[in-house]
Amino acid sequence: MKKLVKALLGSAVVAVMAAPASAATLDDIKAKGHVQCGVNTGLIGFSAPDDDGNWTGLDVDFCRALAAAIFDDPDAVQFSPLSAKDRFTALQSGEVDVLSRNTTWTISRDTALGLNFAGVTYYDGQGFMVNAKNLPDIKSALQLSGATVCVQAGTTTELNLADYFKANNMEYNPVVFEKFEEVNSAYDAGRCDVYTTDQSGLYAVRLNLASPGDHIVLPEIISKEPLGPAVRHGDDQWLDIVKWTYYALVNAEELGVNKDNLEEKMQSDNPELRRLLGTEEGGKLGTDLGLTNDFAVRIVKHVGNYGDIFERNVGAESPLKISRGINALWTKGGLQYGMPIR
Amino acid sequence: MATQHSTAEGAAPRVPLLYDPRVRGIAYQVLVFVGLFALVYWIVGNTTANLQRANIASGFDFLKGRAGFDIGDSLIEYSSDSTYGRALFVGFLNTLRVAIVGIITATVIGFIIGIGRLSKNWLINRICLVYVEVFRNIPPLLVIFFWYFGVLSVLPLPRESIDLPLGSYINARGLFVPAFQWGPGAWLVLVAFAVALVFVFFVRRWAHKKQMATGEQFPVFWTSVGLIIGLPALAFIVTGFPLSFEFPQLSTFNLRGGMQIRPEFLSLYLALSFYTAAFIAEIVRAGVVGVNRGQSEASHALGLRSGQTMRLVIIPQALRIIIPPLTSQYLNLTKNSSLAVAIGYPDLVATGGTTLNQTGQAIEVVAIWLIVYLGLSLGTAGLMNWYNARMALVER
């Protein structure tokens, strides 16, 4: 019933209050003094509250980068934890300014849902996890016919799962929960044989299980899951700001700019660096965007570059220990490619 | 005289229009109606405009699109190739299923507990009181969680399933019972059952007429039982036992074969039944207590036994008190079934939620939810009102 009421309220908000969605989002954000950012309710490495109650993670840090670019303050951001099911309504209705919640970029979301994706902050793929102690013989996803599978409602995961089992002529028994936490506890309690979500998510979930060592992630990756921030249709300026905040992060890594060497790099004569950091004479790349010319400086000063964010939240410096893989820079064989800032 | 007359008569209609209560009444109603219409018009117009500007698809065409997701628990044929419309229909049937079996079970438990509350036996009385107080004072969601996480999810994994009689098993994946497999000719059993029902109907009418005419009683109840069990049993024997059982067997992941009753359904069904039964018990108690003592005394004085007194005198009168509040409990149970979403039972809200998320058409899906629940509730209320009218005191 609560959900019903919530959904109703959501559509009422769409109906009556959609006016602010049309106006310049940037002006609204400046007026209220913070960025309202939709994040996951708790996915380690992407967005989860730490021991002190501060939100941390790759998706969270992207929101902080936005806040830094606009306000020069990474804390000028408020987080709305959203379930997979509520996330799009929240963005459409103007409840959040940007959705940075490990959301897969697909064509239908880009068109019928009225969203615009600003880039891919993490290239992921869907995988499976099983309890190796209870099911020691399972080494491949192709052995999963007849299994009971736990999955979260309203995700691309749910659709890929159906496609994969159909394509391989296998049966399965889906148990679908609305909340991430519910899926986790149901899997942990043995309600399902298999847990499926994006592979990065599986590693994160495993850390929270009662005995993480018992569970293995199967080698198959069954889908492409480009995860990135999304905004509403209809405000190109705001889309540009979100997009170029992401590219500034990647460009900063490409040019080797980080928190420690920022002062030194700002003195550099390298024209590429001068354009990125806004130190160019008469440059107006930042102001054309609606921000200040030193927006990239603000971003790097407060949250670092893309590589720093990755390593801190999901990479070597985090409990997840995920390697850069396809998320490495294009110069190192990955897919992260910063569009030229000029 | 004449002047006096004219002033007396002219005074009444000369009340200014503004103060005429009838004119005022109509004016206010017109105003409210126009205001309401304007509000609805504005909301609809604004919504459409905003949806178009935000490039969000609208309309009900999405119902024909391929759903792409699977549903674990379906009463009808459904696969990921089915349409969104069918997915919603599957959810609707699941809501209906849990509501119907929930209402039946809640009524049975409620009547037993309610009568138990009136028992002169101290222990029975107290047990029923504790039951009512416990279940009535806990939110239904917690009762559902209690069954799902507290009872059913602590059951062992499939390999260590607990054996139940008749080839059934219970484990963390649910209750597995043998499935009926009807052979050829099984339809005859069903026909025999229907024939028996028709017979019972006529026997009852005949016995009633006979009692009215001659005062002789006919053992209607036992005849009915005999007919309902006997005829299908006869058909069953004649067709050569066209029934076999498929027993659940352990496979790699789970028990295969047989019929699986999933824990999501079980917990929702048990929770709603037990929760609503507590309210029904109190309604039943109130109904029985509400019948005047004199009624049973008079009935005894006429020579009716206590069973007959209860059946023929007390219950019919108590039902008049019981039915109206019982109807609202039935509606509550149906509406509370939407809490299924918390434990992953694919009811209308759950499948609708997924549909909403995949298509982004919030307004349409929410409208479908509202219409379906409204329809279900009005249907239930209509049925109960009809029953109430039948039970109501006929004044002659």
Side-chain angles (χ1 to χ4, degrees):
Chain A
M1 216 53 220
K2 214 181 103 198
K3 285 287 138 186
L4 243 173
V5 171
K6 215 169 160 189
L8 245 183
L9 273 181
S11 27
V13 169
V14 174
V16 183
M17 291 239 311
S22 63
T25 312
L26 181 63
D27 295 341
D28 291 342
I29 289 170
K30 280 182 176 161
K32 65 187 173 191
H34 65 262
V35 180
Q36 193 72 39
C37 183
V39 293
N40 198 306
T41 49
L43 176 62
I44 296 179
F46 287 85
S47 58
D50 67 6
D51 296 342
D52 304 322
N54 299 316
W55 284 93
T56 57
L58 189 131
D59 285 341
V60 165
D61 276 350
F62 183 77
C63 294
R64 293 198 191 283
L66 270 174
I70 300 167
F71 296 109
D72 197 15
D73 175 8
D75 295 322
V77 53
Q78 290 190 4
F79 297 100
S80 303
L82 298 170
S83 77
K85 213 170 114 178
D86 295 336
R87 56 186 163 175
F88 300 125
T89 318
L91 181 62
Q92 287 163 347
S93 63
E95 205 180 304
V96 296
D97 300 313
V98 57
L99 184 70
S100 180
R101 189 205 170 281
N102 55 307
T103 299
T104 306
W105 185 349
T106 67
I107 184 170
S108 61
R109 287 174 177 177
D110 224 341
T111 55
L113 257 60
L115 309 184
N116 273 330
F117 282 84
V120 180
T121 51
Y122 189 96
Y123 289 94
D124 211 338
Q126 181 175 342
F128 296 102
M129 176 163 65
V130 296
N131 188 327
K133 213 169 145 198
N134 293 336
L135 300 163
D137 305 330
I138 304 297
K139 298 282 176 238
S140 152
L142 293 166
Q143 294 170 285
L144 291 178
S145 188
T148 306
V149 183
C150 273
V151 64
Q152 196 181 3
T155 52
T156 46
T157 315
E158 200 184 354
L159 304 178
N160 297 330
L161 174 68
D163 290 350
Y164 182 76
F165 275 80
K166 189 173 146 69
N168 289 295
N169 274 324
M170 302 193 294
E171 294 167 22
Y172 73 108
N173 198 343
V175 184
V176 183
F177 294 91
E178 192 185 343
K179 294 211 180 72
F180 189 61
E181 293 78 4
E182 287 161 358
V183 194
N184 299 352
S185 61
Y187 174 73
D188 216 5
R191 176 67 187 88
C192 308
D193 304 300
V194 186
Y195 190 125
T196 182
T197 187
D198 299 341
Q199 234 181 17
S200 64
L202 289 178
Y203 288 109
V205 167
R206 190 164 68 167
L207 291 176
N208 274 348
L209 295 175
S211 45
D214 293 350
H215 301 267
I216 56 161
V217 175
L218 299 177
E220 284 88 354
I221 288 185
I222 66 165
S223 70
K224 297 186 284 186
E225 306 288 338
L227 312 180
V231 297
R232 281 180 294 277
H233 262 195
D235 186 349
D236 290 349
Q237 183 199 28
W238 178 235
L239 172 64
D240 286 342
I241 290 174
V242 177
K243 196 190 291 175
W244 287 98
T245 298
Y246 159 63
Y247 289 136
L249 285 166
V250 178
N251 275 307
E253 190 189 0
E254 286 177 7
L255 296 169
V257 186
N258 58 38
K259 272 184 193 180
D260 301 328
N261 64 15
L262 184 62
E263 292 298 325
E264 173 197 328
K265 295 277 184 185
M266 281 173 77
Q267 311 304 323
S268 164
D269 290 334
N270 180 340
E272 250 189 300
L273 267 176
R274 282 166 65 91
R275 278 195 298 274
L276 173 69
L277 301 176
T279 47
E280 202 181 39
E281 288 294 319
K284 56 189 191 68
L285 295 172
T287 46
D288 282 349
L289 198 57
L291 301 174
T292 53
N293 277 332
D294 65 342
F295 78 99
V297 176
R298 293 175 168 191
I299 293 171
V300 175
K301 185 167 70 186
H302 293 297
V303 298
N305 62 35
Y306 177 80
D308 298 336
I309 292 180
F310 190 99
E311 297 300 345
R312 186 165 66 226
N313 293 305
V314 296
E317 298 161 31
S318 75
L320 290 174
K321 307 257 181 295
I322 298 173
S323 67
R324 280 296 286 271
I326 53 173
N327 286 296
L329 291 178
W330 62 285
T331 48
K332 293 177 185 156
L335 292 172
Q336 292 294 347
Y337 184 106
M339 300 301 153
I341 293 190
R342 68 177 313 136
Chain B
M1 264 321 250
T3 49
Q4 233 180 358
H5 184 92
S6 76
T7 46
E9 214 179 34
R14 218 173 283 155
V15 172
L17 222 52
L18 198 62
Y19 294 107
D20 187 332
R22 240 163 28 107
V23 174
R24 271 192 150 191
I26 291 171
Y28 282 139
Q29 291 188 38
V30 167
L31 266 180
V32 168
F33 181 76
V34 168
L36 203 67
F37 184 78
L39 185 73
V40 170
Y41 184 82
W42 176 71
I43 288 177
V44 170
N46 201 355
T47 309
T48 325
N50 279 321
L51 284 178
Q52 270 169 5
R53 189 168 45 211
N55 245 350
I56 299 172
S58 58
F60 285 91
D61 288 344
F62 72 95
L63 289 176
K64 296 197 201 86
R66 179 181 180 271
F69 60 91
D70 280 302
I71 299 177
D73 213 354
S74 172
L75 290 175
I76 53 173
E77 197 69 29
Y78 175 87
S79 77
S80 57
D81 286 331
S82 306
T83 61
Y84 283 118
R86 197 167 177 86
L88 286 172
F89 188 63
V90 167
F92 168 71
L93 287 180
N94 281 336
T95 295
L96 213 58
R97 165 163 68 148
V98 78
I100 290 173
V101 295
I103 282 174
I104 293 170
T105 315
T107 311
V108 172
I109 302 175
F111 267 77
I112 292 171
I113 301 286
I115 303 281
R117 283 276 275 128
L118 295 166
S119 168
K120 291 197 179 68
N121 182 322
W122 186 86
L123 191 63
I124 293 179
N125 190 321
R126 289 297 116 168
I127 289 175
C128 294
L129 175 74
V130 168
Y131 175 91
V132 168
E133 293 304 335
V134 166
F135 279 98
R136 193 168 62 162
N137 293 311
I138 298 178
L141 186 61
L142 292 190
V143 183
I144 293 174
F145 281 151
F146 166 75
W147 282 107
Y148 193 63
F149 292 112
V151 179
L152 294 173
S153 75
V154 297
L155 289 168
L157 291 172
R159 271 155 218 275
E160 293 103 42
S161 298
I162 302 171
D163 287 13
L164 296 177
L166 300 171
S168 306
Y169 299 92
I170 190 163
N171 59 41
R173 306 284 164 79
L175 181 64
F176 294 78
V177 292
F180 294 104
Q181 301 228 305
W182 295 102
W187 57 273
L188 219 73
V189 179
L190 211 69
V191 171
F193 182 71
V195 169
L197 283 183
V198 174
F199 263 111
V200 166
F201 178 73
F202 283 110
V203 166
R204 277 187 60 155
R205 268 181 51 166
W206 171 78
H208 189 72
K209 264 190 194 152
K210 188 177 156 198
Q211 195 186 351
M212 285 293 166
T214 66
E216 278 175 50
Q217 289 196 349
F218 184 80
V220 176
F221 180 74
W222 293 112
T223 317
S224 310
V225 169
L227 274 173
I228 288 178
I229 296 179
L231 271 185
L234 197 69
F236 194 58
I237 294 166
V238 167
T239 49
F241 304 98
L243 175 66
S244 56
F245 293 99
E246 188 198 32
F247 289 96
Q249 301 285 336
L250 191 66
S251 71
T252 327
F253 290 105
N254 213 337
L255 293 165
R256 281 209 174 208
M259 200 168 78
Q260 181 190 10
I261 302 172
R262 293 160 60 103
E264 288 79 30
F265 172 78
L266 267 183
S267 5
L268 186 69
Y269 157 63
L270 291 174
L272 289 179
S273 305
F274 279 69
Y275 175 76
T276 314
F279 291 90
I280 293 179
E282 284 299 274
I283 292 170
V284 168
R285 187 173 70 98
V288 173
V289 171
V291 176
N292 200 320
R293 254 186 87 82
Q295 292 286 331
S296 53
E297 286 168 0
S299 160
H300 285 305
L302 283 173
L304 294 180
R305 276 175 260 125
S306 5
Q308 287 175 321
T309 304
M310 199 65 171
R311 197 158 50 84
L312 299 170
V313 178
I314 308 288
I315 297 278
Q317 297 190 70
L319 275 182
R320 292 189 194 123
I321 310 175
I322 292 173
I323 292 170
L326 194 61
T327 308
S328 15
Q329 288 311 322
Y330 287 176
L331 299 184
N332 277 347
L333 190 145
T334 310
K335 290 183 287 179
N336 281 341
S337 72
S338 64
L339 292 170
V341 80
I343 51 162
Y345 176 68
D347 76 331
L348 180 70
V349 177
T351 53
T354 305
T355 305
L356 188 160
N357 201 271
Q358 307 289 12
T359 61
Q361 300 198 272
I363 292 176
E364 289 83 353
V365 172
V366 172
I368 290 173
W369 280 339
L370 293 181
I371 291 167
V372 168
Y373 277 99
L374 192 69
L376 272 181
S377 295
L378 290 180
T380 315
L383 211 66
M384 292 301 283
N385 285 344
W386 168 78
Y387 186 55
N388 191 31
R390 259 184 58 125
M391 281 292 152
L393 198 62
V394 184
E395 302 209 6
R396 278 189 261 257

